[in-house]
Amino acid sequence: LAGATGGVAVRPVCGIQRDNGTKMSQDQQAVNGVSCVSKVLTLDTMNPNVRRVEYAVRGPIVQRAVQIERELREGVKKPFTEVIKANIGDAHAMGQKPITFFRQVLALCSYPDLLEDNKFPEDAKKRARRILDACGGHSIGAYSASQGIECIRQDVARYIERRDGGIPSSPDNIYLSTGASDAIVTILKLLVCGEGRDRTGVMISIPQYPLYSAALADLAAVQISYYLDEENCWSLNVEELRRALKEAKQYCKPRVLCIINPGNPTGQVQSRQCIEDVIRFAKEEHLFLMADEVYQDNVYADGCKFHSFKKVLFEMGPEFSSTVEMASFHSTSKCYMGECGFRGGYMEVINMDPQVKAQLTKLVSVRLCPPVPGQALLELVVNPPQPDEPSYSTFMKERTAVLAALGEKARLTEETFNSVPGITCNPVQGAMYTFPCISLPQKAIDKAKEEGLIPDMFYCMKLLEEEGICLVPGSGFGQKEGTFHFRMTILPPTEKLKVVLQKIRDFHLRFTQEFS
Amino acid sequence: MQSLLMWHVLTHFCYIFNHKPCFSYKKLQRRRESSAHTMSNSDQTGNESEMYVMHEICSSVKNMKQLDFSVLVRRANQIKEELKQGVKKPYRELIDVSWGDPHRTGVKPLSFVRQVLAGCLYPQLLESNRLKVDVRQRAQRLLETCAGGSVGSYSDTAGLTQTLKKVSEFITRRDGGVPSHPDSIYISPGSQWSLTNILNILVNPEASPKTGVLVPAPSHCVTTQSILGLGAEVLPYYLTEEQGWALQVEELQRAFDSAKGVCKPFALYIINPGNPAGGVQSRKSMQEVIKFVSEKKLFLLADEVYQECVYGENVEFLSYKRVLAEMGPPLSETVELASFHSASKGLIGECGLRTGYVELVNLDPSVLKLLDNLFSTNSCAPVLGQLTLDLMINPPQPGDPSYPLFYEETQRIRTTLIQNVRQVFEVVNSLPGFSCQPVEGGVFAFPRVYIPPKAIQKAKEVGMEPDTFYCVRLLEETGVLARPGSEFGQKDGTHHIRFCIMTPQHIMEELLRRLSIFHTKFMKEFS
């Protein structure tokens, strides 16, 4: 499909004397079955696990979107003038402005001569000096320790302590990472072992964030799916965890339970009671808990509050806090700062076997170190301007504005979608996405099958071609059989979001009519 | 007095080596005891460690070597702290030359690069004339290539479209016109990350026999760790030290044959210019390698991150891609190659920004598509690093306002490097018990040190490799942090140390002064 409308010429496959071919034409060649003479690395000889790796948020629909953008630049006529990529939680791409203080400090770290400049506030300079002092040769261009710069890990630990009402956190348990995904993959890599029925099983929610399914495929781990309850605002039900676990025990060794809270793509925020239930379950069943908490500052709905797994764990008393093993993940890409491009993040490991921790430290060393500017940014996120500092008021104003706008957009999105016949949408309590259920006419489902596409992929592809809006089909995240969804980020600026919602509404009505 | 100091040092390290696990274990016991009341009897009698969910872990990760170096680093950090607190030592500052990390050793970042990055980070800077006009223009243009005009947005999986295009143009320029296409290039958080992804697709962890990768000895130890971590076998081929660490095809053949009954060789990893050995391959040698991989059906992994660092007279860096292309068909159309480069090395030396790339040649298109999925799970390389790569391959040109300073800074680094190379060669070779091959390229010296039998004996007693013992003493007595050759792989019975030579000149002079004094004393002590 990717090459179907692109008109990309088929180029010779082999040989560096010729053009190497574009990614699209290579797809087409594969489709056409042209093969090279006796390659060393082929579909048959390669690591078979990688063949199962898929990552929907950057999948075929996004590749098509990139191609359409290229066509638009080349002057190809379309019913729209720009592609709106609502497929990914990328705040700055949607026009969100960076937090001034963060960028001032980073600019100072990049070019320390600016420290002499009186245009920068003193607190920004102070932070920059502190970061530079902790860098090898006072440069963000030097490698750091693989686990991350020590003083930043200390500040992360202090931040966690503040967040969790004083529950202690040790810098030794903090590992800085290249975005949260790097840390998630690292922990999974460490945990997955065993053969046959002893192979590690990992419980993930359905719908899930596709990084998990991709990593599990790559590691040849067994995916254990537990379904979130769409009728109850995508809540997590411990009975469902039990069901999934019981079934899985027949063919693998369940060892890990992954939770995303606030939810991606589903936007729910877990209640304290539910977290307690999950922790009890993990302890009973002897599971390692992975708490993906990258959206911890993105909570909008009235009555919802973010509770960290660690805080709840420790408040449940020593019976739990000294035994349940877990890792919690955070990132600089989301929340109010949305600095995805820096690839900053961290994890905190709790109750980990010290011998395994030594192995973890060894494993992260092959990455050399996380990007130092991302580490510096994380330092600022966990240690923002204080009320007595000159940058405080601007910082708070910017932060509050972003979060307030997100709250408003969350409500707007829910309301608009629920007003469209054939779309039902749960409230976006947190995170950055809506995951509405769409009802598709049987004729559309048949048509999709004819074209060899999953129905919601067919729907999203058509939306992209006709309206220039790029969403991710629900099938990329997993969904109950027979239901269809898409994921859309709520990040576009309010006025633009209104246009996007209107366009999706019009498209949906047109689509329903066309196939009824 | 001297031996007293030594005893202090040894007992100290002995403590670190022998007691570290016990220390952790005690902590573990304390933790377990505190929660003992909640445990059943069977729990208490069983192996404590087995109670952990995460007790049993991935066997390939366990197979990765635990490097002694981490102990050296820990001690170096302590020393740094002690110096800060005013503890008296025979030196005032630590010299850390354990990494190929120029900024760490005191080389200054290039002003142009950092000015443009500052402008990209804080675009308000572009509105005043605080920065030169070409800096502002460049920053403006780079920001326009980022989604939403911010370095805080994601790029496409393979990298920023414009940067990929410029990388391919750079490669074409470098390789005398051999075409390169942006769609064969992936930018990643460091070249090592690209390499791991390529290895991941090459290595079938369940294959029997296992997948084997031919790796030079000595070699960059991080790569060896990655290979082991993915569940493959490392097949070392030894470089010939006496001939300037030359690569010999007969040795490749021997390593290949050594796989029999152990694993199935699938790829050959080359580092050129070398790390830690500073050899630069000739065209002829590369041609032989290419013929070899073609004949044996091996995938070629060419680590070329030090391509900008070549010093020897009549020595020139040639890329594997170029040599391959110039050999013509059928080889140029069949040999599968991944070539790696980085913004961490060369004169720019921006290791901390974590950016490198891989160019893929002659890959099966359907495999390339799956590789794309693999890279996509990393989201993208840090955008600031991608812009740095862009600046590295498109430096200021004569006539640009920033050119004079840029020229001065790069010339200074280059001249210093060449001086350092010469000085290291002269000084180290003048020390009895040391011999150093000429450094033709890369950023390391890897001299051979003839450790006296008595010192080897002592090292054994404290449970260390002899060259680790040497480095420990060097660190403790002179504050120089170098790395032992045993980490990189070396012929049995030989010992080496590795240190970075990309330092300001006064640092190198000081390093060589400390090394000379220490070495002389060390040799006398154990003679």
Side-chain angles (χ1 to χ4, degrees), chain A residues 198-397:
Chain A
D198 277 340
R199 192 73 181 159
T200 298
V202 179
M203 303 186 75
I204 61 171
S205 64
I206 297 295
Q208 54 110 20
Y209 182 56
L211 172 72
Y212 289 91
S213 50
L216 297 183
D218 184 20
L219 297 167
V222 180
Q223 175 178 325
I224 306 170
S225 305
Y226 64 88
Y227 288 84
L228 300 176
D229 184 0
E230 183 162 15
E231 280 69 46
N232 279 305
C233 217
W234 296 114
S235 64
L236 191 161
N237 185 332
V238 174
E239 281 317 304
E240 169 60 9
L241 290 179
R242 274 187 225 293
R243 178 205 60 79
L245 187 83
K246 196 175 158 211
E247 274 179 40
K249 276 181 174 166
Q250 297 171 17
Y251 53 87
C252 69
K253 190 171 175 190
R255 298 177 70 208
V256 192
L257 170 57
C258 301
I259 304 277
I260 312 174
N261 177 49
N264 176 8
T266 38
Q268 82 285 12
V269 177
Q270 259 184 295
S271 69
R272 201 198 142 90
Q273 182 58 50
C274 179
I275 294 174
E276 279 187 24
D277 293 346
V278 169
I279 290 173
R280 246 178 236 114
F281 173 78
K283 180 172 166 59
E284 278 163 30
E285 300 294 346
H286 214 50
L287 297 169
F288 187 94
L289 258 176
M290 289 175 68
D292 180 340
E293 299 177 321
V294 300
Y295 296 101
Q296 54 188 262
D297 284 344
N298 298 102
V299 175
Y300 319 113
D302 290 337
C304 285
K305 192 175 170 245
F306 169 74
H307 302 276
S308 80
F309 264 82
K310 186 186 174 196
K311 180 168 195 240
V312 176
L313 176 69
F314 275 73
E315 288 173 355
M316 286 169 76
E319 184 190 347
F320 293 91
S321 64
S322 60
T323 55
V324 175
E325 294 157 60
M326 68 168 262
S328 156
F329 305 90
H330 196 19
S331 158
T332 55
S333 303
K334 311 298 170 186
C335 300
Y336 60 93
M337 55 282 178
E339 295 274 17
C340 317
F342 284 84
R343 317 302 304 118
Y346 75 81
M347 66 175 154
E348 182 185 24
V349 295
I350 295 150
N351 289 333
M352 186 180 268
D353 181 346
Q355 288 164 8
V356 173
K357 219 165 103 184
Q359 299 286 336
L360 173 63
T361 307
K362 189 177 70 177
L363 182 58
V364 297
S365 72
V366 298
R367 293 277 195 239
L368 294 167
C369 72
V372 175
Q375 297 187 43
L377 178 64
L378 180 63
E379 156 67 26
L380 301 170
V381 169
V382 298
N383 189 12
Q386 296 304 302
D388 58 345
E389 291 181 313
S391 300
Y392 180 73
S393 64
T394 310
F395 168 75
M396 282 311 282
K397 218 164 71 195

Side-chain angles (χ1 to χ4, degrees), chain A residues 70-81:
Chain A
R70 201 178 294 178
E71 289 166 23
L72 282 171
R73 275 198 301 273
E74 286 160 3
V76 178
K77 275 266 175 299
K78 302 268 174 194
F80 47 85
T81 51

Side-chain angles (χ1 to χ4, degrees), chain B residues 136-149:
Chain B
R136 282 180 277 152
Q137 281 170 352
R138 186 68 77 91
Q140 196 60 53
R141 278 212 305 275
L142 289 175
L143 280 177
E144 282 162 15
T145 70
C146 303

